Amino acid sequence: METLFTPFSSFGGGLLIGLAAVLLMLGLGRILGATGILSGLVFTEGGEEFAWRAAMVAGMIAAPGLLYLATGFWPALTVPVSPAMIVVGGLIVGLGASLGSGCTSGHGVCGLSRLSVRSLVAVPTFMATAAITVFLIRHVFGA
Amino acid sequence: MKLIFAAITGIVFGAGIALSGMIDPAKVLNFFDLAGSWDPSLAFVMGGALVVTFLGYRLAWRRSAPLFEPRFQIPTSRVIDAKLVGGSALFGIGWGIAGFCPGAAIPALGTGRWEVALFLAAVTGGFFLRRLFARAGIARMA
């Protein structure tokens, strides 16, 4: 399935993602990593550490609706894979991102910006395995 | 005040995910499908995010402390081990299978799609799997 090439809105969205990462560093002195924030909510010890993560996740979930109210923009969202692939992929994402201490936001945006050596290893690794996985699924097994 | 700031940060992040197209698994999978329906848009997302973060972090670090916390909490580890490489490799495989990553899926939950809730439930299951493995002592994943 083809998707539209959207360099301008993608770059603009990227600027906002970067702005959020900077705001969290400026305000709370933290790396904006979705895996860390989510697992911090799941394995919570309660209190302040839970509260700021919950507030942030609430803001993230409210964002598409607020963006729609402000601008009338509603994002395209097509799921081209089966429910079984969502479950298997999700389990592997959760296991891998927690073992590797980060995902696209933590290692990709924040880690690379800090020139972290761990992120400089992690990001090419997960980009490569993602591309190989998509190649195998679509062009070898023909799903 | 700190919580309002965190919520606003979440809104800015989620709006960026929605506007950029990261929220759309079809677009994410096409970014990785170099041999098929390739859509290079997500390179522009990463480019935009890195420019702002690279410069913004350095401005933020000019302060002696963040606004609402006594100190910056920045990872200091430089260890490249099997956990980092293997975990990242696994993460990419899961991302390539499902088309969602955690940072895209949390804002995507706000669109009300059931597939997103299913994905995030599975991700949470993956966190527990890791704990289970760690307890069982497999590959010293603790």
Side-chain angles (χ1 to χ4, degrees):
Chain A
M1 185 199 136
E2 301 278 333
T3 49
L4 284 176
F5 176 51
T6 53
F8 296 107
S9 60
S10 287
F11 188 75
L15 295 177
L16 287 177
I17 293 168
L19 176 62
V22 173
L23 284 175
L24 194 66
M25 183 60 70
L26 179 68
L28 279 75
R30 305 290 189 123
I31 295 294
L32 199 170
T35 297
I37 289 166
L38 201 58
S39 66
L41 279 184
V42 175
F43 304 112
T44 181
E45 280 150 24
E48 284 269 293
E49 289 305 301
F50 180 83
W52 75 261
R53 288 186 173 92
M56 195 165 159
V57 165
M60 286 164 76
I61 294 171
L66 292 174
L67 186 65
Y68 176 75
L69 290 177
T71 65
F73 172 86
W74 187 251
L77 199 168
T78 310
V79 181
V81 302
S82 67
M85 286 168 79
I86 292 178
V87 171
V88 172
L91 280 170
I92 301 174
V93 162
L95 176 63
S98 61
L99 273 177
S101 311
C103 53
T104 328
S105 47
H107 277 309
V109 175
C110 301
L112 292 186
S113 294
R114 295 190 303 114
L115 303 176
S116 149
V117 284
R118 280 168 59 82
S119 300
L120 289 167
V121 170
V123 177
T125 302
F126 65 62
M127 297 298 261
T129 57
I132 292 165
T133 303
V134 170
F135 181 81
L136 289 176
I137 289 174
R138 290 194 174 178
H139 303 290
V140 179
F141 300 112
Chain B
M1 206 45 221
K2 180 169 130 183
L3 296 185
I4 295 168
F5 189 91
I8 291 170
T9 302
I11 292 168
V12 173
F13 181 83
I17 290 290
L19 183 64
S20 68
M22 279 295 295
I23 200 166
D24 185 4
K27 207 168 173 65
V28 171
L29 292 174
N30 279 348
F31 176 68
F32 290 117
D33 191 6
L34 300 165
S37 46
W38 190 47
D39 176 354
S41 303
L42 298 195
F44 290 78
V45 183
M46 199 45 124
L50 284 178
V51 168
V52 174
T53 311
F54 187 88
L55 297 174
Y57 269 7
R58 277 145 191 86
L59 287 175
W61 291 334
R62 287 190 182 181
R63 297 178 53 91
S64 56
L67 298 171
F68 305 109
E69 294 281 345
R71 71 189 77 85
F72 290 104
Q73 294 189 40
I74 298 161
T76 52
S77 171
R78 300 176 61 84
V79 180
I80 310 294
D81 55 8
K83 230 167 67 172
L84 175 73
V85 177
S88 297
L90 274 178
F91 166 64
I93 291 169
W95 195 15
I97 292 173
F100 280 115
C101 60
I106 300 170
L109 204 54
T111 65
R113 294 284 292 265
W114 63 270
E115 297 98 326
V116 185
L118 182 65
F119 173 79
L120 283 171
V123 170
T124 307
F127 293 161
F128 280 100
L129 268 186
R130 187 257 167 123
R131 291 222 152 178
L132 215 64
F133 289 159
R135 283 212 190 99
I138 297 170
R140 290 175 297 281
M141 286 172 174

